[in-house]
Each structure stands twice: as C-alpha cells, then as structure tokens.
Amino acid sequence: KRILPLLSSVKTNREHAFEALVVTHIDADHIGGVLPILEHPELPKLFGDIWFNGRNHLIKGSGLSPFGAKQGERLSRALIDRRLPWNKAFDGEAIVTGKNNAPLVPRQSLPGGLKCTILSPSPAQLGRLLPKWDKEVREAGLVKGEAAAKPKKIPGLQGFGAINLQTLANRAFTEDRAEANGSSIAMLLEYKKHRVLLGADAYPSVLLNAIEHIATGEAKLPVSVFKLPHHSSRANVSKELIAKVPAVAYIVSTNGNQFAHPDQEAVARAITAEATYPRMVAFNYDNKLTRFWETRGGAHKCDVYYGNAAGIKLPMAVD
C-alpha cells in the first residue's frame, strides 16, 4: 500500500527509474513485500538490476536452473521466467564478500555515482544456508500455494527494573546464529561526503571483519547513517560494532509485533556510544516499544525521532 505508489511516482529520463533493487535474504519479513513487485506486470521494469542470492548461488557452478522446495521458489521463478536482470553487476554470480571476508573488490559504482561495497555475507555464511534452504523458503511463503509461517509472538517490553543505559549496553553479548540472517546482503553506500551502512540482518562479526579491510589503519569508520542490523536485535548489535562504526543517525526499522524488537540492550548500545557531536535514533514506528526511548537519549546528546517526524534533515557528512 505504501511502497507501490512511491515506486510508480518516480520520474526519470533514464532507462530505469532505479539502478538496483536489493533483496537481502529469504526471511519472510525481508522478502514478502518484494514479491508483489516482482510478480507485477510492469513494476519490475523500473529496476536496472536485482540483487538476490538464490538457491543456485549457494551451489557453485549450478547455473540458473535449481530451485528449492519442489521447484516452487517464487522469487527465483519470477526472475528467470520474466528474464529480469539478476545480479548483473556481479556477472550473475553470488553476491558475497571476497577471500577471508574482505569486502567485495572492486566496489560497485552505480550510474548515478553511488559506490556500494558488500560487507556480508561471506561465502561460508552463504553456504551454511543450503541445508536449510527448503525449510526457510517455505516459512517465507515462497512456495506456491503455501502461506508464510506465522512466528510465535514474543512478549513486549522486558522488565529490567530501574533503567540504567550503561548497564543495558554492557549486558553480555551472544551473537546471532540463524543461517538465514547470516546470508544477508549488507552494504556500505558512499556518495560524495556521505556514508550509509545498511546492516540487513547480518552478523556483527562478519560486518566487523569486512570493515577492518576497508578501514585499514583507521580506528573507526564513521558514517552518516547506520541502519542497525536485524531490527536492532541484541544479538546483532554489539558494542564493538557500534564503536567501530560511529554514526550520526541510527535507523531502527520494525514495528516489533512478532519479536518485540528493538531490544533494549541494542538501542542502549547505540545511544551510549562515545561521541562529541549530536546524534539521533530514528524509529519508523511509534509504539510502546519505541516510545520507551523518547526521553532517554538527552544525557548522551542523542535525540529520538519517530516515523516521518518533521524537521529531520540529512545528517552531517562524515570526515
């Protein structure tokens, strides 16, 4: 309801209104919205390239024929049957980081001047998904005639007693191990003096390893905007990652209905990050899970915004 009118409204003299559409991985909450776009009679023509790792990319040298779940994988079928551009910028191969998890080199430069560096998945993380592929595509609703699985709801706000943000931020960290999340396409985007890190649902250790190759000799890789991984899950936002990628704006994308994200520990790690400049956390939903943070960032020079709040401007460029 929201995306389709926006996509259709973009006017351009170029052949394609959008240079690339990225489908990060096969979780239902990341793929369900894109299916009506790719199965629409006209909308796929808006995109010059579609980036997505299908089952064929999990098997080296497999070509474009294999599908999972009894040949019913809808997204790959739409791409092949409609002859849509699929990982064209990568010569049709899997979108993964380089050897030893180095970022993909050379970086992709899109026609408008945007540079894109792939930070995740590593080849190993993408390969781990293969044994689970059919189960995951069924749960994501990619099998024709089968609805997406409905995950069990997790209760809302956690009870921590009196809130101390540093205590929250310092709570023990255990990294995500879900195979589908590990296969996420995460990217660093660079345009002029701005950097944006789109974390998808990637593992912090994979992002950190890739960033180490980018920021060789540098203590940190500052960005204008950091979309926190996995909807700001405590298992995907570590203190080490926040310290390595200081941001002016942290974006949290979720309504929290199923898994009660954002986790309080993850948001606390972002708000309490050491910084000498004003920052912000922006939530795309305004509800009891996110309103919790309304007045808790002031002591850390961190403002909180909700949805399309008036007055938000593009964060300052990074040095």
Side-chain angles (χ1 to χ4, degrees):
K1 298 177 195 176
R2 298 180 182 179
I3 292 294
L4 295 185
L6 292 173
L7 293 178
S8 303
S9 69
V10 174
K11 306 299 181 185
T12 178
N13 293 324
R14 298 195 305 259
E15 182 180 1
H16 302 287
F18 298 92
E19 288 146 353
L21 167 67
V22 183
V23 184
T24 62
H25 61 299
I26 60 172
D27 274 350
D29 57 331
H30 288 256
I31 210 166
V34 81
L35 284 170
I37 294 173
L38 295 182
E39 294 176 343
H40 188 278
E42 296 296 329
L43 286 173
K45 298 176 183 177
L46 294 173
F47 306 103
D49 200 2
I50 297 167
W51 297 2
F52 168 66
N53 286 326
R55 191 178 192 272
N56 53 291
H57 294 110
L58 277 60
I59 309 170
K60 190 173 182 180
S62 67
L64 286 178
S65 57
F67 295 91
K70 297 182 180 178
Q71 312 302 309
E73 203 265 274
R74 289 171 58 192
L75 195 144
S76 293
R77 178 65 71 187
L79 292 171
I80 292 175
D81 288 354
R82 306 189 66 184
R83 299 184 179 181
L84 299 174
W86 185 1
N87 293 3
K88 183 172 65 175
F90 305 88
D91 297 322
E93 299 295 326
I95 300 174
V96 292
T97 57
K99 188 176 180 181
N100 298 323
N101 203 32
L104 193 65
V105 178
R107 299 176 184 178
Q108 296 296 323
S109 294
L110 299 179
L114 184 76
K115 294 181 180 179
C116 174
T117 304
I118 302 300
L119 304 179
S120 170
S122 66
Q125 295 299 342
L126 187 60
R128 284 183 65 227
L129 182 59
L130 183 57
K132 304 252 182 175
W133 180 269
D134 285 0
K135 174 179 177 291
E136 296 290 344
V137 298
R138 287 183 182 279
E139 292 183 353
L142 296 181
V143 178
K144 190 175 182 179
E146 296 189 19
K150 293 184 178 180
K152 186 178 180 181
K153 273 197 173 186
I154 294 176
L157 290 170
Q158 308 157 43
F160 286 105
I163 296 298
N164 181 292
L165 293 192
Q166 287 293 353
T167 300
L168 277 178
N170 291 334
R171 283 175 69 91
F173 174 76
T174 302
E175 186 166 76
D176 184 5
R177 293 193 56 80
E179 290 87 354
N181 291 343
S183 73
S184 294
I185 298 174
M187 304 176 292
L188 177 71
L189 306 180
E190 298 173 275
Y191 183 73
K192 296 183 178 179
K193 292 186 177 181
H194 287 281
R195 296 192 193 109
V196 175
L197 199 159
L198 302 177
D201 284 0
Y203 298 168
S205 61
V206 173
L207 293 176
L208 279 168
N209 197 353
I211 290 167
E212 287 289 348
H213 289 82
I214 296 175
T216 304
E218 299 178 33
K220 299 179 180 180
L221 183 72
V223 299
S224 297
V225 179
F226 186 179
K227 184 176 180 293
L228 294 176
H230 201 193
H231 321 290
S232 197
S233 164
R234 67 171 68 88
N236 298 78
V237 180
S238 65
K239 287 191 70 175
E240 291 76 13
L241 180 61
I242 292 294
K244 188 68 177 178
V245 190
V248 181
Y250 298 97
I251 306 297
V252 179
S253 173
T254 180
N255 61 14
N257 279 349
Q258 291 180 343
F259 297 110
H261 292 146
D263 286 329
Q264 292 177 342
E265 299 96 325
V267 179
R269 288 165 187 155
I271 287 178
T272 60
E274 292 186 13
T276 58
Y277 48 84
R279 297 164 299 123
M280 69 174 75
V281 173
F283 300 97
N284 66 330
Y285 278 85
D286 184 350
N287 56 30
K288 66 179 182 180
L289 288 170
T290 58
R291 186 55 67 174
F292 172 84
W293 298 100
E294 182 179 14
T295 60
R296 298 185 187 274
H300 300 274
K301 297 182 180 179
C302 188
D303 294 326
V304 176
Y305 293 91
Y306 297 92
N308 294 321
I312 292 184
K313 298 181 179 178
L314 183 68
M316 65 182 186
V318 296
D319 293 332

